[in-house]
Amino acid sequence: MTSDRPNIESTSELEKFYTECRQAFAVGALQRLVLSKYKGSEAELNRITIRPVQIKEQKLLSFLYEYRTNHVTKNFALDDALALLQQLLGSDFHNAHMISDDWEIQLSFSKKGKVLLNKNRNKNSPAAGDQKYSQVEQSHNRTKLRYVEQDRPYLRELGITDANSQIIPAMSRKWKQINKFIEVLSTAIQQTGLDKRNELHIADFGSGKAYLTFAVHDYVSANLGVNTQVTGVELRQGLVDLCNQTAQKLSLTGIKFEQGDVQHFSAQNINIMIALHACDIATDYALNMGVRTGAEIIMCSPCCHKQIRPQLQSPALLAPLLQHGIHLGQEAEMITDGLRALLLEAHGYDTKVFEFISLEHTSKNKMILAQKRKTQRDNREVLQQIADIKTFYGITEQCLETLLQN
Ligand SMILES: C[S@@+](CC[C@H](N)C(=O)[O-])C[C@H]1O[C@@H](n2cnc3c(N)ncnc32)[C@H](O)[C@@H]1O
């Protein structure tokens, strides 16, 4: 439904705006276009965010209709998108903000129908074409890719950004962690083809204050335009209540928090299983759940490796190295996570172990990323490798292995 269009005084400014949008899209430089100041008749509609998307080789424009309690995505070819834009601007929406790699253009309509166009260089302009769909920051002559936009409302609500969408200095490590996490996730989603699904179910075990839970919800629903149901599972009721209140305050749908212990939680049909810094064997329970529900992506950043260390009987040759507690801890950590990765390999996943990013309160910075293989593979060799490693170190039990055997 569109409301009556006021008398528009200057159509040339409008034409200039449409031309800029068309050109930015054509050369692949369009980052986003946001329509705001809604005056139409749909009571719950706030704004529309438009971004370029590629669906089955076709470059389209994805319109994300942001309602108070839900989001709806519609994709259009360029001509249809521009026709719709012409219908909406000046009538339903009185403000448009277009960001391309080179320009930031603000278009607004006064009450009397006067059109104002304000065009400025994009200060965050990226250096390279391949990074055109993301915001980029120049530092130390290096181009840094940012996957998350600073103006997202959840960042403000969680205290990562201030009222002007600037990163609060004390939260800069958390901000980097969120970006790194979304970068890893985004690649995995594309490689597994999950971005083509209509709906995704995501579980985050040990969600804590849920910085990453909100980030993944926002990225999948707003950036990819995929309907998503994100569930954060957390032991501490206080944090569960706090996070549900935050979701409510932001009028978000498709995200909820439940009190529960991952060791007794039951979940089904999860596409993406996340467990970041869940303590000790809580990580094994989460990994087991991910495998059992057939999750296409499993992402975990383990911490507190307590189970294996007391079992280790290292060969005498290594004793001078492992006499130092810190080395024994590092050895136990490497063996625990190495075995977890091999167990995931044996259960149908391609697995990588790599450096993630540390939190402010812990030096733990490892990530295990597992992506479900499309075809089955003979797992006898990898099962034999696991058995040999256990024998070598005298390990009698590893939690994930036991869970997967039951
Ligand atoms: C270090 S915090 C990490 C929070 C968040 N995942 C992150 O990386 O920012 C670990 C969280 O896991 C929760 N937790 C620990 N064991 C758990 C379990 N068995 N079931 C559910 N949550 C658990 C803790 O209460 C804590 O909030």
Side-chain angles (χ1 to χ4, degrees):
M1 287 285 289
T2 54
S3 58
D4 290 339
R5 179 183 289 272
N7 290 328
I8 306 289
E9 265 184 29
S10 168
T11 50
S12 72
E13 299 295 78
L14 262 176
E15 288 310 324
K16 266 189 222 160
F17 184 73
Y18 297 136
T19 305
E20 293 280 359
C21 291
R22 184 185 280 279
Q23 278 174 356
F25 180 77
V27 299
L30 179 67
Q31 291 182 12
R32 67 181 183 278
L33 168 59
V34 179
L35 311 185
S36 57
K37 288 206 178 156
Y38 182 64
K39 309 281 180 193
S41 56
E42 292 192 65
E44 306 238 298
L45 183 59
N46 287 329
R47 64 178 195 168
I48 300 179
T49 300
I50 302 162
R51 292 172 200 276
V53 287
Q54 183 150 348
I55 298 175
K56 292 186 186 143
E57 313 281 301
Q58 217 190 344
K59 287 191 172 156
L60 302 173
L61 283 158
S62 172
F63 281 50
L64 182 77
Y65 289 70
E66 300 184 28
Y67 291 92
R68 200 171 65 80
T69 53
N70 67 322
H71 290 174
V72 175
T73 306
K74 295 177 188 170
N75 298 325
F76 300 98
L78 177 63
D79 286 340
D80 293 339
L82 283 175
L84 182 56
L85 206 57
Q86 290 178 11
Q87 200 184 325
L88 295 172
L89 278 178
S91 52
D92 284 12
F93 290 92
H94 284 209
N95 205 316
H97 186 193
M98 193 275 271
I99 302 179
S100 74
D101 288 353
D102 304 310
W103 301 106
E104 278 206 38
I105 305 178
Q106 188 78 38
L107 180 87
S108 53
F109 298 82
S110 74
K111 281 192 183 130
K112 291 181 182 157
K114 203 170 166 68
V115 184
L116 301 168
L117 190 79
N118 193 358
K119 181 174 171 182
N120 292 301
R121 280 256 163 228
N122 181 355
K123 291 192 207 89
N124 296 314
S125 177
D130 276 347
Q131 296 165 348
K132 59 187 64 123
Y133 289 5
S134 306
Q135 184 183 343
V136 171
E137 188 180 271
Q138 300 273 356
S139 91
H140 306 295
N141 297 329
R142 257 179 1 158
T143 303
K144 262 196 189 165
L145 195 61
R146 289 276 177 239
Y147 280 78
V148 180
E149 286 154 15
Q150 284 180 218
D151 62 358
R152 302 307 294 155
Y154 77 93
L155 291 171
R156 207 160 38 245
E157 199 56 43
L158 296 176
I160 307 266
T161 53
D162 62 19
N164 300 317
S165 299
Q166 297 306 304
I167 305 298
I168 294 171
M171 300 307 280
S172 66
R173 290 182 80 178
K174 183 52 90 180
W175 166 240
K176 282 188 190 139
Q177 191 201 36
I178 290 172
N179 272 280
K180 179 73 181 173
F181 170 72
I182 295 297
E183 177 187 343
V184 173
L185 181 71
S186 153
T187 307
I189 286 180
Q190 266 154 39
Q191 285 175 349
T192 48
L194 286 184
D195 52 335
K196 316 267 177 345
R197 298 280 178 89
N198 292 329
E199 193 170 315
L200 288 181
H201 288 248
I202 301 172
D204 181 7
F205 292 105
S207 48
K209 287 190 190 156
Y211 297 103
L212 299 167
T213 331
F214 281 103
V216 66
H217 172 267
D218 190 69
Y219 177 74
V220 175
S221 57
N223 276 52
L224 298 183
V226 176
N227 282 331
T228 180
Q229 182 61 59
V230 178
T231 308
V233 179
E234 169 55 50
L235 210 48
R236 290 181 280 172
Q237 185 67 54
L239 287 178
V240 171
D241 294 341
L242 182 74
C243 294
N244 277 325
Q245 281 159 18
T246 303
Q248 208 174 7
K249 208 164 161 192
L250 290 165
S251 301
L252 298 179
T253 54
I255 182 165
K256 67 176 186 321
F257 295 86
E258 293 182 15
Q259 193 281 329
D261 184 335
V262 62
Q263 302 196 25
H264 308 294
F265 202 80
S266 101
Q268 282 177 336
N269 304 322
I270 299 173
N271 301 108
I272 303 175
M273 195 294 298
I274 299 165
L276 299 174
H277 312 107
C279 314
D280 196 23
I281 57 171
T283 293
D284 295 296
Y285 278 88
L287 291 174
N288 175 54
M289 189 120 50
V291 173
R292 290 197 183 270
T293 68
E296 284 87 350
I297 298 173
I298 295 178
M299 270 177 108
C300 96
S301 187
C303 83
C304 320
H305 302 71
K306 293 194 188 129
Q307 193 197 18
I308 296 291
R309 185 172 168 156
Q311 298 180 49
L312 283 187
Q313 295 165 14
S314 301
L317 180 73
L318 298 183
L321 302 178
L322 299 178
Q323 64 177 313
H324 308 291
I326 184 170
H327 286 167
L328 192 62
Q330 287 168 343
E331 179 93 338
E333 185 177 322
M334 187 267 288
I335 295 164
T336 308
D337 293 331
L339 286 175
R340 285 168 171 161
L342 286 170
L343 285 161
L344 290 168
E345 287 278 341
H347 284 80
Y349 287 82
D350 289 324
T351 308
K352 288 182 212 151
V353 182
F354 55 94
E355 188 172 33
F356 181 37
I357 200 161
S358 59
L359 286 171
E360 36 295 87
H361 57 275
T362 164
S363 61
K364 305 290 174 193
N365 62 353
K366 194 191 287 180
M367 174 162 284
I368 301 176
L369 172 69
Q371 294 174 208
K372 199 170 167 60
R373 275 183 223 117
K374 301 247 182 316
T375 50
Q376 293 213 338
R377 198 190 283 172
D378 186 346
N379 68 357
R380 280 173 296 185
E381 189 185 344
V382 72
L383 286 175
Q384 189 56 53
Q385 288 169 346
I386 294 166
D388 292 346
I389 291 165
K390 283 177 63 195
T391 307
F392 183 78
Y393 284 106
I395 296 165
T396 50
E397 209 218 328
Q398 200 285 323
C399 182
L400 178 59
E401 185 182 39
T402 310
L403 291 170
L404 288 168
Q405 280 164 355
N406 290 329

